[in-house]
Amino acid sequence: MTSAGLICILPCGKASEPDFYYGPLDGIEIDGIEKIDGIEKMVVGDVTTAVDALVIGAGPAGYVAAIRATQLGRHVTLVESGPVGGVCLQRGCIPLKALLFSSERYQQMRQESLADMGVHAETVSFDWSRMRTWKQSVVDRLVNGVRRLIAGNRIELIKGTAWFLNPEEMRVEGEESSHRLKFDHCILATGASAAPLPDLPYDGQRILTPEQALQLTELPNALNIFGNDYIALELATLFVRLGVQVKLYAPGDQILADVDPAPLRLVQAGLRKLGVQIVTKADSASIDERPLIISNGVRPNTARLSLSDAGVQVTELGGIVVDRMQQSSAPHIYAAGDCTGGRALASIAIKQGKVAAEVLSGQRVQFAPLVVPLVVHTTPELATVGLSVEAAERAGYNIATGRFPLAANGRALTLGTDAGVATIVANKDDGSVLGATVVGPRAGDLIGQMSLAIEMGATLTDLSEIIYAHPGLSEILQESADQALNQAIHVLR
């Protein structure tokens, strides 16, 4: 078959890779033509490859699901259109945390309190370019680790974009090859992208996503941030530490709306001390300053999956509807992570990926955590889990609360800080722990103990009776439990 401008790719002898023609068809009508993203592609001798478990997306939910399914004896094919690791590893969580750490070290070296400790730093400076290079080295090391895990677990990795042809088949289109895959089970883990505001579309220069802000090659003199979530607060913390004038516009009455106001005031005071200007009850349409970073949540990456062809139900915002076993409306198709439209946290995505892999392998499990911790890497750091005081009261609990200041903790003072507090919310009737908030150094590490306590049904007495290492930051958890029991030692009653 010949036609002007038609390119023919002949069979390569590999049954798993279909043969196809690319190029303009010059008006010739031929059976078997597919039109994808405006490009006509004709499949010739299209070979369908049968796969056991097909996972779409190699972010935190996807690669974890693939590895877990392999551990349970499934033969897994993993499809990813970009680098492995997803947004969290490549452009989001890990890069931001790396830059926050280096900026924190710079800030600490400039503090006058170092002189009181006998440490003198005559000149301290930073190099944004080298910071970004170091950040990328951290990302590259983790990406290489994920690649080795995928290869070591004998997972077949296919580069390309996937969409459904019918409830049992998917097309995967890559730069160099095309695949038609017939699967027994499928896990969708395609993640999500920054959600724009209707009146302020992203342009990559004046209106930025959080990920684009981290890619800035030069620091601006001033930055404006719209949002009241943890990402907005962490971006404000990063850039103000490096001398950028930062104005934070929060659309609600307070930043981090679901956090107890009392400990949150310490975080807000810390941001203001660094130099962040905070404007609450802000209207995005009235913000004229540029550049503007918008942290407005995420939108599931599901539009190009042709989910209707597979009989998979989605919400109005495009999130894949799943049950507690991560099954969609098509029982052999699962979804995990941000593409389900739930809370966009990598910790949730990882757990959901494990659940999906275990369910399709025949295990009786569910995604049903009692609590999910949230950590915000500000100055001071904040971590919270479970119910706040207000949420517990709204739920009808008869509550007991305990509060212990970091200023009364020996380990905190040896670290040169006293700005912080630990608070605990408990059911007064039986002493069971309902929630906790920690503000201070390493709060994100300490909150794991409280997550375990709530999941295990621990009481205030359980926390009080444990022997903690001394001196240690974890003692503030014991002391806050003691205070809730009205038996605190290191604070006046």
Short mmCIF file of all heavy atoms in Angstrom, two decimals, residues 89-117:
data_model
loop_
_atom_site.label_atom_id
_atom_site.label_comp_id
_atom_site.label_asym_id
_atom_site.label_seq_id
_atom_site.Cartn_x
_atom_site.Cartn_y
_atom_site.Cartn_z
N LEU A 89 7.05 13.08 43.72
CA LEU A 89 8.50 12.89 43.72
C LEU A 89 9.19 13.84 42.75
O LEU A 89 10.25 14.39 43.06
CB LEU A 89 8.82 11.43 43.35
CG LEU A 89 10.29 11.04 43.21
CD1 LEU A 89 11.11 11.52 44.40
CD2 LEU A 89 10.41 9.54 43.03
N GLN A 90 8.60 14.08 41.59
CA GLN A 90 9.27 14.84 40.56
C GLN A 90 9.17 16.35 40.74
O GLN A 90 10.15 17.07 40.56
CB GLN A 90 8.68 14.47 39.19
CG GLN A 90 8.94 13.04 38.75
CD GLN A 90 10.37 12.85 38.28
OE1 GLN A 90 11.08 13.81 38.00
NE2 GLN A 90 10.79 11.60 38.17
N ARG A 91 7.96 16.85 41.08
CA ARG A 91 7.74 18.30 41.04
C ARG A 91 7.03 18.85 42.27
O ARG A 91 6.81 20.06 42.34
CB ARG A 91 6.91 18.67 39.80
CG ARG A 91 7.47 18.18 38.50
CD ARG A 91 6.65 18.64 37.31
NE ARG A 91 5.27 18.18 37.37
CZ ARG A 91 4.87 16.96 37.00
NH1 ARG A 91 5.76 16.08 36.58
NH2 ARG A 91 3.60 16.63 37.07
N GLY A 92 6.65 18.01 43.22
CA GLY A 92 5.84 18.47 44.32
C GLY A 92 6.47 18.28 45.69
O GLY A 92 7.34 19.04 46.12
N CYS A 93 6.01 17.23 46.40
CA CYS A 93 6.37 17.04 47.81
C CYS A 93 7.87 17.03 48.05
O CYS A 93 8.39 17.80 48.87
CB CYS A 93 5.77 15.73 48.33
SG CYS A 93 4.04 15.47 47.93
N ILE A 94 8.58 16.14 47.36
CA ILE A 94 10.01 15.97 47.64
C ILE A 94 10.81 17.22 47.28
O ILE A 94 11.63 17.70 48.09
CB ILE A 94 10.54 14.73 46.92
CG1 ILE A 94 9.84 13.45 47.43
CG2 ILE A 94 12.06 14.61 47.11
CD1 ILE A 94 10.01 13.20 48.91
N PRO A 95 10.65 17.80 46.08
CA PRO A 95 11.40 19.03 45.79
C PRO A 95 11.11 20.15 46.79
O PRO A 95 12.04 20.86 47.22
CB PRO A 95 10.91 19.40 44.38
CG PRO A 95 10.47 18.12 43.78
CD PRO A 95 9.89 17.33 44.91
N LEU A 96 9.85 20.32 47.16
CA LEU A 96 9.51 21.39 48.10
C LEU A 96 10.14 21.14 49.46
O LEU A 96 10.69 22.07 50.08
CB LEU A 96 7.99 21.51 48.23
CG LEU A 96 7.46 22.56 49.21
CD1 LEU A 96 8.07 23.93 48.94
CD2 LEU A 96 5.94 22.62 49.16
N LYS A 97 10.09 19.91 49.95
CA LYS A 97 10.67 19.62 51.27
C LYS A 97 12.18 19.79 51.25
O LYS A 97 12.78 20.24 52.23
CB LYS A 97 10.30 18.20 51.72
CG LYS A 97 8.80 17.95 51.84
CD LYS A 97 8.09 18.98 52.71
CE LYS A 97 6.61 18.68 52.85
NZ LYS A 97 5.83 19.01 51.63
N ALA A 98 12.82 19.43 50.14
CA ALA A 98 14.27 19.61 50.04
C ALA A 98 14.64 21.09 50.09
O ALA A 98 15.57 21.50 50.81
CB ALA A 98 14.79 18.97 48.75
N LEU A 99 13.91 21.91 49.36
CA LEU A 99 14.19 23.34 49.36
C LEU A 99 13.85 23.98 50.71
O LEU A 99 14.53 24.91 51.15
CB LEU A 99 13.41 24.03 48.24
CG LEU A 99 13.88 23.70 46.82
CD1 LEU A 99 12.93 24.28 45.79
CD2 LEU A 99 15.29 24.20 46.58
N LEU A 100 12.80 23.48 51.36
CA LEU A 100 12.47 23.98 52.70
C LEU A 100 13.59 23.68 53.68
O LEU A 100 13.92 24.52 54.53
CB LEU A 100 11.17 23.35 53.19
CG LEU A 100 9.87 23.97 52.66
CD1 LEU A 100 8.68 23.06 52.94
CD2 LEU A 100 9.64 25.34 53.27
N PHE A 101 14.19 22.51 53.57
CA PHE A 101 15.28 22.16 54.48
C PHE A 101 16.49 23.06 54.28
O PHE A 101 17.07 23.59 55.24
CB PHE A 101 15.67 20.69 54.29
CG PHE A 101 16.82 20.26 55.15
CD1 PHE A 101 16.63 19.93 56.48
CD2 PHE A 101 18.12 20.21 54.64
CE1 PHE A 101 17.69 19.54 57.28
CE2 PHE A 101 19.19 19.83 55.43
CZ PHE A 101 18.97 19.50 56.77
N SER A 102 16.90 23.25 53.01
CA SER A 102 18.08 24.09 52.76
C SER A 102 17.81 25.54 53.15
O SER A 102 18.69 26.21 53.71
CB SER A 102 18.49 24.00 51.29
OG SER A 102 17.43 24.37 50.44
N SER A 103 16.59 26.03 52.90
CA SER A 103 16.27 27.41 53.28
C SER A 103 16.20 27.56 54.79
O SER A 103 16.55 28.61 55.34
CB SER A 103 14.94 27.85 52.65
OG SER A 103 13.85 27.13 53.19
N GLU A 104 15.78 26.50 55.49
CA GLU A 104 15.75 26.54 56.96
C GLU A 104 17.15 26.64 57.52
O GLU A 104 17.40 27.38 58.48
CB GLU A 104 15.05 25.29 57.49
CG GLU A 104 14.94 25.27 59.01
CD GLU A 104 14.30 24.00 59.53
OE1 GLU A 104 14.46 22.94 58.88
OE2 GLU A 104 13.65 24.05 60.59
N ARG A 105 18.08 25.89 56.93
CA ARG A 105 19.46 25.96 57.41
C ARG A 105 20.03 27.37 57.21
O ARG A 105 20.74 27.90 58.06
CB ARG A 105 20.32 24.93 56.67
CG ARG A 105 20.03 23.50 57.08
CD ARG A 105 20.41 23.30 58.55
NE ARG A 105 20.02 21.98 59.04
CZ ARG A 105 18.88 21.71 59.66
NH1 ARG A 105 18.00 22.69 59.88
NH2 ARG A 105 18.60 20.50 60.08
N TYR A 106 19.71 27.97 56.07
CA TYR A 106 20.16 29.34 55.82
C TYR A 106 19.57 30.29 56.85
O TYR A 106 20.28 31.14 57.41
CB TYR A 106 19.76 29.76 54.40
CG TYR A 106 19.96 31.22 54.11
CD1 TYR A 106 21.23 31.77 54.05
CD2 TYR A 106 18.86 32.05 53.90
CE1 TYR A 106 21.41 33.12 53.79
CE2 TYR A 106 19.02 33.40 53.63
CZ TYR A 106 20.30 33.93 53.58
OH TYR A 106 20.47 35.28 53.33
N GLN A 107 18.29 30.15 57.11
CA GLN A 107 17.64 31.02 58.09
C GLN A 107 18.25 30.84 59.47
O GLN A 107 18.49 31.83 60.19
CB GLN A 107 16.14 30.70 58.12
CG GLN A 107 15.38 31.47 59.19
CD GLN A 107 14.10 30.78 59.62
OE1 GLN A 107 13.86 29.63 59.25
NE2 GLN A 107 13.30 31.46 60.40
N GLN A 108 18.50 29.60 59.88
CA GLN A 108 19.06 29.35 61.20
C GLN A 108 20.44 29.95 61.37
O GLN A 108 20.79 30.46 62.44
CB GLN A 108 19.10 27.84 61.46
CG GLN A 108 17.73 27.21 61.65
CD GLN A 108 17.80 25.70 61.73
OE1 GLN A 108 18.78 25.08 61.29
NE2 GLN A 108 16.78 25.09 62.31
N MET A 109 21.25 29.92 60.30
CA MET A 109 22.59 30.48 60.39
C MET A 109 22.57 31.99 60.53
O MET A 109 23.56 32.59 60.99
CB MET A 109 23.40 30.10 59.14
CG MET A 109 23.74 28.62 59.06
SD MET A 109 24.79 28.07 60.44
CE MET A 109 26.27 29.00 60.12
N ARG A 110 21.46 32.61 60.19
CA ARG A 110 21.36 34.06 60.27
C ARG A 110 20.72 34.53 61.58
O ARG A 110 20.62 35.72 61.83
CB ARG A 110 20.55 34.59 59.08
CG ARG A 110 21.18 34.30 57.74
CD ARG A 110 20.28 34.73 56.59
NE ARG A 110 20.12 36.19 56.56
CZ ARG A 110 18.96 36.82 56.53
NH1 ARG A 110 17.83 36.14 56.57
NH2 ARG A 110 18.90 38.14 56.47
N GLN A 111 20.29 33.60 62.41
CA GLN A 111 19.62 33.98 63.64
C GLN A 111 20.60 34.52 64.67
O GLN A 111 21.70 33.98 64.85
CB GLN A 111 18.87 32.78 64.23
CG GLN A 111 17.64 32.37 63.42
CD GLN A 111 16.95 31.16 64.02
OE1 GLN A 111 17.49 30.49 64.89
NE2 GLN A 111 15.75 30.86 63.54
N GLU A 112 20.18 35.58 65.35
CA GLU A 112 21.03 36.17 66.38
C GLU A 112 21.23 35.25 67.57
O GLU A 112 22.22 35.35 68.29
CB GLU A 112 20.42 37.50 66.85
CG GLU A 112 20.37 38.57 65.76
CD GLU A 112 19.75 39.85 66.28
OE1 GLU A 112 19.37 39.88 67.46
OE2 GLU A 112 19.66 40.82 65.49
N SER A 113 20.28 34.31 67.76
CA SER A 113 20.38 33.41 68.90
C SER A 113 21.59 32.50 68.82
O SER A 113 22.04 31.96 69.84
CB SER A 113 19.11 32.55 69.01
OG SER A 113 18.92 31.78 67.84
N LEU A 114 22.17 32.33 67.63
CA LEU A 114 23.37 31.50 67.51
C LEU A 114 24.53 32.09 68.31
O LEU A 114 25.35 31.35 68.87
CB LEU A 114 23.78 31.35 66.04
CG LEU A 114 22.97 30.36 65.19
CD1 LEU A 114 23.50 30.34 63.77
CD2 LEU A 114 23.04 28.96 65.80
N ALA A 115 24.60 33.40 68.35
CA ALA A 115 25.68 34.04 69.11
C ALA A 115 25.56 33.71 70.58
O ALA A 115 26.57 33.54 71.29
CB ALA A 115 25.66 35.55 68.89
N ASP A 116 24.32 33.60 71.09
CA ASP A 116 24.13 33.24 72.49
C ASP A 116 24.62 31.83 72.77
O ASP A 116 24.99 31.50 73.91
CB ASP A 116 22.64 33.34 72.85
CG ASP A 116 22.12 34.77 72.74
OD1 ASP A 116 22.94 35.70 72.88
OD2 ASP A 116 20.91 34.95 72.51
N MET A 117 24.63 30.98 71.74
CA MET A 117 25.11 29.61 71.90
C MET A 117 26.62 29.51 71.70
O MET A 117 27.19 28.43 71.82
CB MET A 117 24.43 28.68 70.89
CG MET A 117 22.93 28.60 71.01
SD MET A 117 22.26 27.49 69.74
CE MET A 117 20.50 27.81 69.92
#
